Amino acid sequence: MDIEEIVYHPIGIVHSEFKSQEETPKSYTESGEVKAEIIINPAYLVAMSGIEAGKEYMVLFHFHKSLPFRQIVSKRGDGPLTPLFSTHSPNRPNPIGVSVITVTEVLGNIIKFKGVDMMDGTPILDIKSV
């Protein structure tokens, strides 16, 4: 397989209360009303100008604290052994995560939201409407 190198540059960063993999929810559906914020690089203010409070958005991010991956993992950390691509494990060949957030407020280049399953300092790669 002959594939060229792929390079991404973060558009922003998450600030959340979660400081380790162990305390971070495995999915946005598990975080409930926990709130966080995304600080977007001011160069992308025009690109984010349509983001609205009350709407859901898909956030693609880089698992910046990812560990080496295994092809078979324990589901949810302590469950049955399961093939990696059938899990939410952050330890992946390409450590890219996807979450759905609900925006609660937009202040300049700051997006406040609920549905956080990202650690503090997580680099944001892209945001898409749902």
Side-chain angles (χ1 to χ4, degrees):
M1 193 188 290
D2 190 24
I3 300 176
E4 63 187 73
E5 179 180 359
I6 300 170
V7 177
Y8 293 101
H9 301 281
I11 63 166
I13 191 167
V14 167
H15 288 296
S16 79
E17 66 182 57
F18 305 117
K19 309 299 184 206
S20 70
Q21 273 190 19
E22 296 75 33
E23 66 181 315
T24 304
K26 302 287 184 214
S27 170
Y28 64 91
T29 59
E30 295 177 4
S31 67
E33 297 297 312
V34 177
K35 294 183 180 165
E37 61 185 27
I38 299 172
I39 310 297
I40 298 293
N41 180 327
Y44 300 110
L45 274 172
V46 172
M48 66 173 285
S49 63
I51 294 178
E52 300 177 34
K55 293 197 174 180
E56 289 186 333
Y57 295 87
M58 191 172 16
V59 176
L60 285 81
F61 57 93
H62 174 71
F63 283 116
H64 67 298
K65 300 285 185 175
S66 182
L67 301 172
F69 77 95
R70 292 177 292 138
Q71 293 193 44
I72 302 292
V73 298
S74 293
K75 193 163 189 156
R76 301 217 170 258
D78 60 359
L81 291 178
T82 306
L84 175 65
F85 296 152
S86 298
T87 74
H88 285 265
S89 173
N91 307 316
R92 313 188 76 76
N94 292 301
I96 298 170
V98 177
S99 252
V100 175
I101 65 168
T102 301
V103 173
T104 57
E105 188 175 12
V106 179
L107 301 167
N109 68 322
I110 301 170
I111 300 169
K112 296 182 180 264
F113 68 96
K114 60 184 179 178
V116 61
D117 62 351
M118 296 166 267
M119 287 174 49
D120 189 57
T122 296
I124 301 302
L125 301 175
D126 202 359
I127 300 172
K128 300 176 181 283
S129 63
V130 173

